[in-house]
Amino acid sequence: MPKISVLDLVRVSQGSTPAQALSDTLERAQRAERLGYTRYWIAEHHNIAGIASSATSIIIGRLAAGTSSIRVGSGGIMLPNHPSLVVAEQFGTLESLFPGRIDLGLGRAPGTDQRTAMALRRDSFAGDSFIEEVKEVRALFEPVEPGQAVQAIPGAGLRVPLWILGSSTYGAQVAAALGLPYSFASHFAPEMLFDAIQLYRDRFQPSAQLDRPYVMVGVNVVASNSDQEAQRQFTSLQQAFLQILRNERGLLPPPVDTTDLSCSSAERAQVNRMLACSLVGSEAVIREGLRSLASQTGADEVIAVSPMFDQAAGLRSLEILAEAAELSGPPCR
């Protein structure tokens, strides 16, 4: 089995609040640590009512303070939204506070719509210089050179692992060229998964951080005591993706009977394509799905996205996934 980690968007359910969603995220991270997950990442998004992960580095600090061994990081920081120096300072600070436990995943997309991207005070072409910005961040973590005018304090000289996130072959090219681990967002954009990871492996250039390719793949995991209940819980995520298609990004809806999922055949087909990389069912189904995914992709690590309307159901899903993956206690770092 590959290593197993968690990606959390800090979703806000209908009838709940961002404050409650943030509290629930901490509880999930603490449970993930006890169960033996490798890392717990937070994704950056903006101006989406149902997602409360906009201040990503602050949430990472809270989760790291509330846990003791699990790695915590970004999946990812959307680099076009932030000056490289600010990113290096923030994650240098996190690494100083929680040494050996912080990951910095970097993405090229803005994590929002274009109008909001402009409100974040970055130009609309910022993503075009992504590889150069990644190099800038990496350089700011290097030991200070004599006469270096701009330094990340804290940050300089710290070993904060960088990751490249992507949903296309572009991110794979960047990760390969820079010799960085690569995480593919197959949990919402699975169509280019195999092309991207093959390109990454073929073009990988060793670096000081990594001497061989390292692939992480994203997968939605909705696990429950029965296949039927898991399918019902999965309808919350299906409805959330319908909201995206309809440009109606609201709070995470409660689950419904699968027969009550109201959408056109075209919408259903599109949602099914976007959610094709999903494992939904009881422990046996999840275990077989993990084995199949690992066999098909050769992934070194799987990062699970488990957006559940109900916190208790989400915690149970983490437990079942841990049982299916045969995790046992806090990970060795």
Side-chain angles (χ1 to χ4, degrees):
M1 283 284 188
K3 294 180 180 178
I4 309 293
S5 295
V6 177
L7 174 64
D8 198 328
L9 277 65
V10 194
R11 286 193 178 269
V12 185
S13 296
Q14 289 180 11
S16 186
T17 63
Q20 184 61 53
L22 290 163
S23 177
D24 289 346
T25 292
L26 175 58
E27 184 181 18
R28 288 193 296 271
Q30 291 169 335
R31 185 68 57 88
E33 178 175 76
R34 289 197 296 272
L35 292 168
Y37 286 85
T38 297
R39 64 190 89 240
Y40 201 99
W41 279 4
I42 301 298
E44 177 187 345
H45 290 279
H46 299 276
N47 197 31
I48 301 174
I51 297 178
S53 58
S54 55
T56 315
S57 60
I58 295 175
I59 300 171
I60 291 168
R62 180 68 183 94
L63 299 186
T67 54
S68 60
S69 60
I70 193 169
R71 296 195 67 90
V72 187
S74 60
I77 290 294
M78 299 296 102
L79 198 48
N81 299 338
H82 311 280
S84 300
L85 178 60
V86 172
V87 173
E89 290 172 336
Q90 289 179 349
F91 279 79
T93 300
L94 288 167
E95 176 65 19
S96 298
L97 291 168
F98 310 102
R101 295 183 55 209
I102 301 299
D103 297 324
L104 175 51
L106 298 170
R108 180 187 179 211
T112 186
D113 59 89
Q114 286 302 313
R115 182 176 296 181
T116 307
M118 294 301 294
L120 290 165
R121 304 183 184 278
R122 298 283 274 166
D123 67 72
S124 58
F125 300 102
D128 295 342
S129 57
F130 178 65
I131 190 169
E132 296 305 319
E133 293 181 333
V134 174
K135 290 178 180 178
E136 288 176 5
V137 172
R138 183 164 68 176
L140 287 164
F141 286 123
E142 295 293 332
V144 175
E145 298 287 343
Q148 183 175 329
V150 178
Q151 304 173 22
I153 306 172
L158 298 181
R159 295 187 176 183
V160 179
L162 301 188
W163 291 67
I164 299 299
L165 281 62
S167 58
S168 69
T169 56
Y170 177 80
Q173 294 176 57
V174 172
L178 299 181
L180 297 175
Y182 180 52
S183 180
F184 190 86
S186 33
H187 58 288
F188 71 86
E191 292 184 356
M192 301 186 73
L193 169 62
F194 295 102
D195 289 342
I197 60 179
Q198 187 61 56
L199 184 151
Y200 168 68
R201 289 176 174 136
D202 289 346
R203 299 190 184 182
F204 181 84
Q205 298 295 317
S207 68
Q209 178 178 329
L210 194 64
D211 62 358
R212 66 187 65 183
Y214 191 97
V215 171
M216 172 193 282
V217 296
V219 59
N220 300 295
V221 177
V222 178
S224 191
N225 293 331
S226 71
D227 294 343
Q228 183 177 8
E229 177 58 18
Q231 290 291 343
R232 193 182 77 85
Q233 292 290 339
F234 186 51
T235 61
S236 288
L237 185 59
Q238 290 173 312
Q239 291 176 85
F241 272 69
L242 279 171
Q243 290 176 348
I244 294 172
L245 292 181
R246 296 168 178 173
N247 199 27
E248 301 170 351
R249 301 188 182 193
L251 305 182
L252 184 68
V256 297
D257 291 336
T258 54
T259 55
D260 292 336
L261 205 57
S262 179
C263 59
S264 68
S265 58
E267 287 176 325
R268 184 180 291 272
Q270 180 63 11
V271 167
N272 288 342
R273 283 194 293 270
M274 296 171 75
L275 296 177
C277 196
S278 299
L279 306 180
V280 182
S282 60
E283 181 183 341
V285 171
I286 302 302
R287 180 181 294 108
E288 181 56 34
L290 285 175
R291 288 174 176 168
S292 177
L293 183 64
S295 174
Q296 292 178 47
T297 63
D300 301 283
E301 191 167 337
V302 169
I303 190 160
V305 188
S306 298
M308 310 278 275
F309 177 80
D310 178 73
Q311 175 73 343
L315 293 172
R316 180 60 184 143
S317 183
L318 284 176
E319 292 171 351
I320 293 172
L321 174 57
E323 292 163 3
E326 300 176 355
L327 303 184
S328 56
C332 297
R333 291 189 282 112

